[in-house]
Amino acid sequence: MVSLFPTTSRVSMIGLRSLLGEIHRRSVWQILGSYAVGAWIILQLAETLAGLIGLPLWFGPTILVLIGLGFPLLLLTSFLQGGRRGRKEETEGKKDSGQAFLQKMFTWRNVAVVVGGTVVLLGAGTAGYSGMRAAGIGPMGSLIAKDILESDDPLILAEFVDRTPEGTLGETVTALFRIDLAQSTSVRIIEPTQLAPALTRMERDPSEPLTPDVALELAQREGIKAVITGEVLPLGSGAVISARLVSAEGATLVAMDQTARDIGDVPQAVDALSAQLRERIGESLRTIQGDPPLNEVTTFSLESLRKYAQADRANDRGDWERAVTLLEEALEEDSTFAMAWRKLGILFQNEDRDPERARTSLDRAFALRDRLTDRERYLAEAAYFTYVEDDRPRAMQAYETVLESYPIDRIALNNLAVAYNAQGNREEAVEIYLRSIRAGIAPAVTYSNAVETLFDLGQSDTAVFVLEQFGEAYPENPDVHRFGGALLSARFDYPGAEEHARRFQDLVSGDPSAEMRALSDLANLALIRGRYRDGINQIMQVFEKQEAMGVRFLPFSEPIFEAMAEGVIRATFLQDHPGAVAVVDAAWAARPRGGDPTELAHIELATIYAASGRPDRALELLQNYESDVDVEVREAPGSRSGVHSLKGGIALAEGRNEDALQEYLTARELVPDCALCVLTELGQAYAALGRHGEAVETFEEYLNAPVLFRLGTDNINMHMVLIGLGQSYEALGENQKAAEYYGRIVEMWADPDPELQPRVEELREALTRVGGE
C-alpha cells in the first residue's frame, strides 16, 4: 500500500538532500575550506609570536574561542548572502521582513568589520595587559614589577596538603611543581638540603615533610620573602589542585587553582598552575611558553613520580640505600623515566659504588634525554660525557649551556669548577666556587671543594675563612669537621685534627662509606703521633666496612695489607729490620694464588725489603711483578714511578747512592702533578751523598707543599722528613735549626707506643746534643 503522507525518515532524507544541495549550490564547502586554512594560519602565527616575544597565557585559549565563534558567523552569512557564487535574482525575490533584516545585518562587509575590530581589540588588549604587567600597574602587574619580589629571589616550596582519601597525591604534586619550577629563569626554589641547617636550628627534623606552617616560620627566621603552598582536594575521579604564593608575613600574593578531571590529568593541571604562578611573579612569557609539558619530560606514571620524590627526600637526609631502592622501584613502573636514570647514576657515582652500574644508568639517561627538561637534559649530557665517555670538554660545554639560561645553577657551577680543577686551571675553579658561595646557593660540596682548592693554591687564610662560612651555612654537615681536621693536619696541628676526626666519626655513624674515611683519618693521625698499634687496628676495621658495602676502599687484600702495615712500622718507625723481613716473608709465602696480581702489592712489599737491607728479595719481587702484572698496568705513569722509586731504594741499600738519586729523580718526573711524591726518598738520597743543603731543600719542599689532604702520605713520611731535616741541619752546623726539627718530632711523639720509646730517647739525646730543650 502506498502511503498518502511521507514518513518521518523520508522527510528527513528530503531535508538532508535539500541542505546538501543548498550547501553545494552556494559553495559553502569552498568557504569552509578557506576558513580552515585561515584558522590554521592564525594559530601558527600565534604560536610563532608566543615563541618570539611571548604572549599572555590567556591569548591562546582566546584565539581558539574566537575561531570557534567565527565558524557559525561565517556559515550563517554564507547562507544569507547566497555564498560566493549566488546570483542577483536569488536576492531580489520576495522576502519576509525577518529574512531581509538578517541579510542586512549579516553581510560580508559587516563580517569584515567585526573580524577587523576583534583583531584590533585583541591586539590592544594584549598590548595593554603586557604593558601593565611589565609596569606593575593594577592586578595585571607582576610581583617583580611591583618590587614585591626580585628576579631569582629564593622561595620555599612547602609540601602540598593532601586531602584525598589515599593521601599520596600531595607529594607527587609537590615533586611536579619542583620539577617545573626548576625550568624557570626567574623563580628559584631553595633545595631541601639548603633548608636543613635552618630547620635544625629551629629544632625541626629536616627529614620530615615541610608543612606550610613550618615553611612560613622558616621564611620569617631566614629572611626569605615568600612561600609556595597548596592543597589537593578530591573531585570525583580527579582532583582540584590549588596553589598560593604567600609572603613571609602570611599575606596571599597569588592564588589560583586547576581541576584535573582524572588522576592522569594531574601533570597538565600542575603545568597550568605553575605557568600562571611564573607569569604572575614576572617571568618572561616567552620562556614560560617555551617549556615542554611535564608529562613529556617526566613520566606517564604518577606512582613512578611519587617514588622518585620519595627517593629525592631519602637522598637529602643521607639514606643512600633507601634512595636507590625507591629509584629502582620507580624505574620498574616506567623504564623510560630519564630523570630517575640520571639520579640513580649520580647516586652510584657520588658514593663511588659499582662504577659499572653508574655508567649504565647515566648511559640510559643520555639515551632518553629527549624526555628531560632542558636543564636536566644538559646535566644528563654533562654526566654522560664526564663519567661514560671521559670527554671533559664536552661536559664543560654542557654545563656552560646550562649557565647561559640559569646563571646560578648550583650543580652546573660546582661541576664546571670541578672540571676546571681537573684540567689544572685552579684559579678559574676557585672563582666559580666563590661565585656560587657569594650567591648564597652553594651546596655543601662547593664549600668543601673551595676549601681544598684554595689551600692547594697556597691561599690558606682564605681557605680558613671559607671553612668558617661552610660551618655557618651547614653547621650539622660532617664534612665541616672532616675538612676542618684536614686543614689543621696540613698545618701540623695533630691534636686539633684528631678532635675534628673524632667528631666527624660520631656524625657519620651508620654511613659505612663515611665511616671508612673517618677510620682512615684516625689511623693516619695515630701513626703520625707514634701510636701505631691504634693506627693498624683502626685501618683494619675498614675491611669489615667495605665487605659489608661491596666496595673497595683499600686496594689490597686484607692479609697483604696487614703485612704491609706491620712491615712498614717495623722498617721505618722501629728500625726493626729483621722483624720487617719476617713479616713480609710470611705474607708473600701465604699469598693467594690465581687472584688479581695487582692486589699482591709487589712494589710496596719489595720497598719494605729494600728499606730493611734485603735488596736481593726486593729484586725477586720486582721480577715477579714484571711477569705477573699486565703491561697496560705497568706502563701507567704512576706504576712506572713506583718501579723507579723501588730501584732507587735497592740502589740505596746496596750503597749505590748516585744511582739511587737518579732513580728517584726519574720517579718524581713521572708524576709531576703529585706535590709530595718521592720527596722523602729524594731527600734521603741527597743526605746519603753528603749533599745536605739539597737534602734540606727537598725535605722542606715536602713540609711546605700546599696539600690539604696529606695524611695518607704524612702517616709514614712525616717522622722521616723531620728526622732527616734535623740530621742534615746538624751536619751543616746549623744546630738551632736542627734543634727545631728534633724538637718537633719529640713533641709529635709525646705519647708513643712503648716499643717506640727507645727511638724517642735517641731523639732527645740528639736534641740535647745540638743544644735544644
Side-chain angles (χ1 to χ4, degrees):
M1 181 182 293
V2 178
S3 175
L4 296 176
F5 299 97
T7 64
T8 302
S9 61
R10 187 177 177 190
V11 170
S12 299
M13 288 298 295
I14 292 171
L16 179 60
R17 287 172 182 169
S18 175
L19 177 62
L20 291 174
E22 190 68 12
I23 288 173
H24 179 70
R25 187 173 67 81
R26 294 175 182 270
S27 299
V28 174
W29 293 122
Q30 295 181 31
I31 293 169
L32 292 181
S34 300
Y35 184 77
V37 171
W40 182 83
I41 292 172
I42 290 170
L43 290 173
Q44 294 302 308
L45 180 61
E47 185 176 347
T48 302
L49 287 173
L52 290 174
I53 62 173
L55 295 171
L57 296 180
W58 50 259
F59 187 88
T62 302
I63 286 287
L64 291 175
V65 170
L66 292 176
I67 289 174
L69 293 174
F71 172 71
L73 176 64
L74 185 67
L75 191 61
L76 180 59
T77 304
S78 176
F79 270 104
L80 291 173
Q81 299 303 321
R84 290 172 53 201
R85 55 179 193 175
R87 295 185 297 273
K88 182 177 180 180
E89 60 269 21
E90 294 174 0
T91 63
E92 290 178 350
K94 186 177 179 180
K95 316 181 193 67
D96 60 37
S97 59
Q99 183 180 4
F101 175 76
L102 289 174
Q103 283 184 325
K104 183 177 180 181
M105 292 297 297
F106 289 90
T107 65
W108 293 114
R109 181 176 179 278
N110 288 347
V111 168
V113 170
V114 170
V115 170
T118 301
V119 170
V120 170
L121 286 174
L122 182 61
T126 301
Y129 174 88
S130 299
M132 294 174 72
R133 177 176 179 270
I137 299 173
M140 286 92 161
S142 73
L143 299 179
I144 290 176
K146 290 181 176 181
D147 291 329
I148 296 174
L149 294 176
E150 295 181 10
S151 182
D152 282 329
D153 264 345
L155 305 176
I156 297 176
L157 176 63
E159 192 80 15
F160 274 60
V161 178
D162 192 338
R163 305 195 187 280
T164 62
E166 296 79 7
T168 60
L169 199 54
E171 61 185 347
T172 305
V173 169
T174 307
L176 283 167
F177 256 97
R178 186 173 295 280
I179 291 168
D180 193 83
L181 293 175
Q183 302 180 82
S184 172
T185 56
S186 295
V187 178
R188 178 160 65 87
I189 301 299
I190 303 175
E191 296 291 332
T193 50
Q194 292 177 276
L195 296 173
L199 288 169
T200 302
R201 290 193 294 272
M202 291 167 59
E203 299 184 353
R204 301 275 186 177
D205 185 352
S207 65
E208 292 295 320
L210 187 64
T211 65
D213 289 342
V214 174
L216 281 171
E217 182 185 351
L218 185 63
Q220 292 168 3
R221 290 171 61 103
E222 299 299 313
I224 296 165
K225 293 181 180 178
V227 174
I228 300 170
T229 67
E231 63 179 355
V232 184
L233 300 169
L235 181 66
S237 61
V240 176
I241 304 172
S242 64
R244 292 194 307 152
L245 181 67
V246 184
S247 72
E249 294 75 27
T252 298
L253 303 175
V254 178
M256 61 201 72
D257 60 68
Q258 284 284 329
T259 300
R261 290 172 297 178
D262 57 54
I263 296 301
D265 290 336
V266 166
Q268 292 93 311
V270 173
D271 241 338
L273 278 174
S274 174
Q276 292 173 42
L277 176 63
R278 291 161 65 182
E279 182 182 30
R280 288 299 312 279
I281 288 175
E283 184 175 347
S284 163
L285 295 170
R286 181 175 61 83
T287 61
I288 297 173
Q289 291 161 343
D291 288 343
L294 277 172
N295 57 0
E296 291 182 11
V297 295
T298 54
T299 172
F300 60 81
S301 167
L302 288 185
E303 179 62 17
S304 183
L305 186 68
R306 184 173 70 86
K307 290 183 179 297
Y308 175 87
Q310 292 173 340
D312 215 20
R313 187 177 298 141
N315 183 53
D316 286 338
R317 62 174 180 262
D319 191 346
W320 185 91
E321 301 284 355
R322 178 67 175 154
V324 168
T325 299
L326 286 165
L327 287 172
E328 289 172 339
E329 292 175 1
L331 290 166
E332 287 177 7
E333 296 281 340
D334 178 9
S335 62
T336 66
F337 191 3
M339 291 179 74
W341 282 116
R342 190 188 84 81
K343 175 73 76 175
L344 187 63
I346 293 299
L347 286 182
F348 276 108
Q349 186 64 48
N350 286 349
E351 285 291 311
D352 196 22
R353 302 196 200 185
D354 199 344
E356 185 57 35
R357 182 82 183 276
R359 285 191 293 271
T360 301
S361 301
L362 294 172
D363 189 22
R364 185 71 172 136
F366 182 78
L368 295 167
R369 62 190 181 281
D370 288 342
R371 289 191 53 80
L372 292 168
T373 65
D374 285 348
R375 195 178 208 159
E376 282 273 336
R377 183 171 72 254
Y378 287 121
L379 292 175
E381 290 177 356
Y384 174 81
F385 290 131
T386 300
Y387 303 116
V388 180
E389 292 291 324
D390 194 22
D391 187 346
R392 210 166 283 275
R394 292 185 71 182
M396 294 173 71
Q397 184 178 7
Y399 289 129
E400 285 168 348
T401 302
V402 174
L403 293 171
E404 286 175 7
S405 299
Y406 308 97
I408 55 173
D409 185 280
R410 60 209 299 258
I411 298 173
L413 284 170
N414 181 77
N415 292 359
L416 181 61
V418 169
Y420 274 116
N421 219 343
Q423 288 184 337
N425 191 347
R426 293 178 177 177
E427 291 80 5
E428 183 69 25
V430 161
E431 181 52 42
I432 296 173
Y433 288 137
L434 295 181
R435 170 181 161 191
S436 181
I437 291 169
R438 285 192 294 265
I441 50 91
V445 69
T446 294
Y447 284 94
S448 57
N449 286 343
V451 169
E452 183 172 7
T453 308
L454 284 163
F455 192 90
D456 290 352
L457 281 170
Q459 301 178 34
S460 60
D461 290 340
T462 309
V464 171
F465 175 72
V466 172
L467 182 64
E468 290 171 355
Q469 290 186 304
F470 185 17
E472 292 172 5
Y474 296 92
E476 297 301 315
N477 191 297
D479 276 344
V480 171
H481 295 283
R482 180 166 178 250
F483 278 77
L487 201 148
L488 289 176
S489 67
R491 291 181 161 189
F492 315 120
D493 179 358
Y494 298 120
E498 193 167 328
E499 287 181 19
H500 275 286
R502 294 197 182 283
R503 177 62 176 149
F504 175 71
Q505 185 182 40
D506 292 341
L507 289 172
V508 300
S509 178
D511 179 351
S513 179
E515 285 179 334
M516 288 191 290
R517 290 194 294 270
L519 285 168
S520 177
D521 287 346
L522 286 169
N524 290 328
L525 285 163
L527 285 173
I528 289 172
R529 302 183 73 187
R531 303 195 313 271
Y532 55 86
R533 289 296 165 208
D534 285 347
I536 291 178
N537 290 336
Q538 286 165 329
I539 200 63
M540 295 310 295
Q541 293 177 44
V542 168
F543 283 98
E544 299 174 16
K545 304 289 183 184
Q546 67 182 19
E547 184 176 349
M549 289 180 62
V551 299
R552 178 56 61 87
F553 185 82
L554 298 173
F556 305 111
S557 62
E558 185 172 355
I560 291 292
F561 184 85
E562 188 171 15
M564 283 172 51
E566 184 71 26
V568 166
I569 296 299
R570 292 193 174 279
T572 62
F573 283 80
L574 302 178
Q575 301 286 289
D576 177 12
H577 296 156
V581 169
V583 168
V584 176
D585 278 345
W588 188 251
R591 69 189 182 279
R593 308 289 179 172
D596 183 355
T598 61
E599 294 187 4
L600 297 180
H602 298 75
I603 301 302
E604 290 78 3
L605 294 177
T607 300
I608 297 172
Y609 276 130
S612 301
R614 289 298 304 272
D616 55 327
R617 292 290 288 127
L619 281 169
E620 286 180 31
L621 263 65
L622 177 57
Q623 290 166 359
N624 283 125
Y625 170 78
E626 291 171 345
S627 62
D628 292 347
V629 179
D630 291 340
V631 66
E632 292 82 1
V633 176
R634 290 188 281 115
E635 285 300 313
S639 300
R640 291 169 58 206
S641 176
V643 169
H644 281 287
S645 184
L646 170 59
K647 289 179 177 178
I650 292 170
L652 209 60
E654 294 176 341
R656 296 183 289 109
N657 298 336
E658 190 63 48
D659 291 342
L661 178 63
Q662 294 307 314
E663 291 289 356
Y664 287 139
L665 288 170
T666 301
R668 181 151 177 79
E669 288 171 1
L670 286 167
V671 284
D673 295 330
C674 181
L676 300 174
C677 291
V678 200
L679 285 176
T680 303
E681 296 87 344
L682 197 55
Q684 290 172 333
Y686 279 126
L689 287 166
R691 295 161 61 173
H692 293 289
E694 290 161 290
V696 164
E697 289 179 8
T698 305
F699 287 135
E700 289 193 337
E701 181 183 351
Y702 180 95
L703 286 182
N704 296 326
V707 178
L708 184 63
F709 286 97
R710 55 185 297 157
L711 281 176
T713 303
D714 286 351
N715 55 3
I716 303 300
N717 287 278
M718 182 53 67
H719 77 280
M720 293 191 287
V721 167
L722 293 176
I723 292 171
L725 278 165
Q727 292 172 341
S728 287
Y729 271 120
E730 185 177 0
L732 291 170
E734 297 187 40
N735 287 352
Q736 186 175 352
K737 294 293 291 184
E740 175 187 336
Y741 289 107
Y742 286 141
R744 281 179 62 173
I745 185 65
V746 168
E747 183 180 359
M748 196 169 74
W749 285 353
D751 185 24
D753 286 344
E755 289 177 281
L756 194 57
Q757 195 62 50
R759 290 212 70 196
V760 176
E761 292 305 319
E762 291 175 7
L763 290 165
R764 289 186 186 279
E765 291 173 7
L767 183 58
T768 302
R769 184 173 61 245
V770 295
E773 296 180 4

